[in-house]
Amino acid sequence: MSLPALAPAGATPPRPPPAVPSVAPAVPSIAPAVPGVAPLATGPRAPSGTVPSIPSVAPIVPPIPPAAAMAATPSRSTGPDLDAQQLADLEARCSRLDQLDYFEVLMLEKTATPADIKRAFYRESRTYHPDRFFQVDSKELKERINDLYKRVTEAYYVLRDDSKRKKYVTDVTGPERAQKLRFTEASEAETKAAAKKEQEEQIGTHPKGRQFFQQAQRDADAGNWAAAERNLKMALTYEPANARYKERLAEVQKQSQDESRDKGGSFKIR
């Protein structure tokens, strides 16, 4: 190592330059050593005193769908789980609901078994139950669904009963079909009243009259025409206007006369 040159006598020696710490250059090497921290983006530094540019960021607002896509979105008013075919079927059935009998409402043949009727009811009631459409906006659609569901329930009430079903089949296949399509409470009461009236006409309304009439029937069945005639005349004292009693009395009297004539003829000397 060479020694520095000596300054002339009487001259102030120059100050040595400040010592630069030897550890300063090693500081930047610490930052990249931190684990889990992504290194800063490389590239040319911005000039001093300027604001670095911020990279563009994708917008967080979703893009507006085109008009065609919005038009294809189904409206709530179509109802849940009802496709175009079901809506068309609903419209067609409701438009002629007053012309359909209960078998047609449930889409069944008139020879359907009780099991078929039950399955059809469960199918239709699940599809058109009003509770499934309480959020539908269309009031008209709700009314159509309610009308159809009521008729489906009414049809099941009638067709599940063997006696009612048999009578209903007779009614809707007869000449009065248009008047017998609905089996309402009023029609049921009317049917019961007609049956009661027919029964009264057959055996009478007065207890005593019915008693003598029934006894006369037994006498006639046994061939005891005289006893039958007496009991029918007694029945008429309680119900003198009963047409059935009068008709039966005439039949018994004729039968009694024919029998007497035949007996008289058998003893005639030939």
Side-chain angles (χ1 to χ4, degrees):
M1 180 176 179
S2 60
L3 296 174
L6 298 176
T12 303
R15 293 184 178 181
V20 179
S22 60
V23 295
V27 174
S29 63
I30 297 174
V34 178
V37 179
L40 298 175
T42 59
R45 292 178 175 272
S48 178
T50 63
V51 179
S53 60
I54 301 175
S56 60
V57 181
I60 61 174
V61 180
I64 300 175
M70 294 180 66
T73 304
S75 173
R76 279 197 310 163
S77 60
T78 58
D81 302 331
L82 287 184
D83 54 25
Q85 181 61 40
Q86 287 175 315
L87 287 171
D89 175 68
L90 174 65
E91 182 68 27
R93 292 168 72 184
C94 290
S95 64
R96 50 191 299 266
L97 199 57
D98 292 334
Q99 288 80 41
L100 300 178
D101 61 45
Y102 291 149
F103 292 97
E104 292 170 333
V105 169
L106 294 178
M107 294 188 290
L108 292 171
E109 297 292 334
K110 291 181 176 59
T111 56
T113 64
D116 295 334
I117 294 169
K118 181 179 290 187
R119 282 193 295 268
F121 170 69
Y122 287 160
R123 180 192 66 231
E124 297 302 305
S125 62
R126 282 196 302 266
T127 303
Y128 298 108
H129 197 287
D131 289 349
R132 298 182 60 245
F133 300 87
F134 72 98
Q135 290 183 339
V136 173
D137 293 332
S138 174
K139 183 179 179 181
E140 182 181 357
L141 177 60
K142 281 185 176 181
E143 290 177 353
R144 289 201 301 269
I145 291 170
N146 288 337
D147 291 341
L148 180 57
Y149 180 76
K150 288 178 182 178
R151 195 64 61 89
V152 166
T153 306
E154 184 179 309
Y156 180 62
Y157 168 76
V158 173
L159 299 184
R160 69 179 179 179
D161 186 277
D162 291 340
S163 59
K164 289 180 180 179
R165 183 174 67 255
K166 290 178 182 178
K167 184 181 184 309
Y168 186 76
V169 171
T170 304
D171 290 340
V172 296
T173 54
E176 297 182 355
R177 167 186 164 85
Q179 290 77 31
K180 301 291 185 178
L181 291 176
R182 302 287 303 276
F183 195 86
T184 60
E185 294 296 332
S187 63
E188 185 175 7
E190 181 181 348
T191 302
K192 289 181 178 179
K196 183 179 179 181
K197 182 179 180 181
E198 182 179 359
Q199 183 182 22
E200 290 175 349
E201 290 176 353
Q202 292 294 327
I203 62 175
T205 57
H206 195 282
K208 286 292 185 178
R210 289 197 300 266
Q211 180 180 349
F212 282 109
F213 177 78
Q214 291 169 351
Q215 182 60 47
Q217 293 283 67
R218 289 190 290 269
D219 292 336
D221 293 338
N224 192 351
W225 304 112
E229 184 176 353
R230 285 195 305 269
N231 285 312
L232 284 170
K233 289 179 178 179
M234 288 297 298
L236 281 168
T237 61
Y238 294 98
E239 296 185 39
N242 191 306
R244 176 59 177 159
Y245 290 1
K246 294 178 180 179
E247 179 184 357
R248 186 58 175 154
L249 177 59
E251 293 173 355
V252 167
Q253 288 174 338
K254 182 177 184 303
Q255 189 69 30
S256 178
Q257 291 171 1
D258 292 343
E259 186 172 315
S260 299
R261 187 168 49 251
D262 293 342
K263 285 182 180 181
S266 62
F267 291 105
K268 188 175 182 180
I269 300 176
R270 298 178 184 275

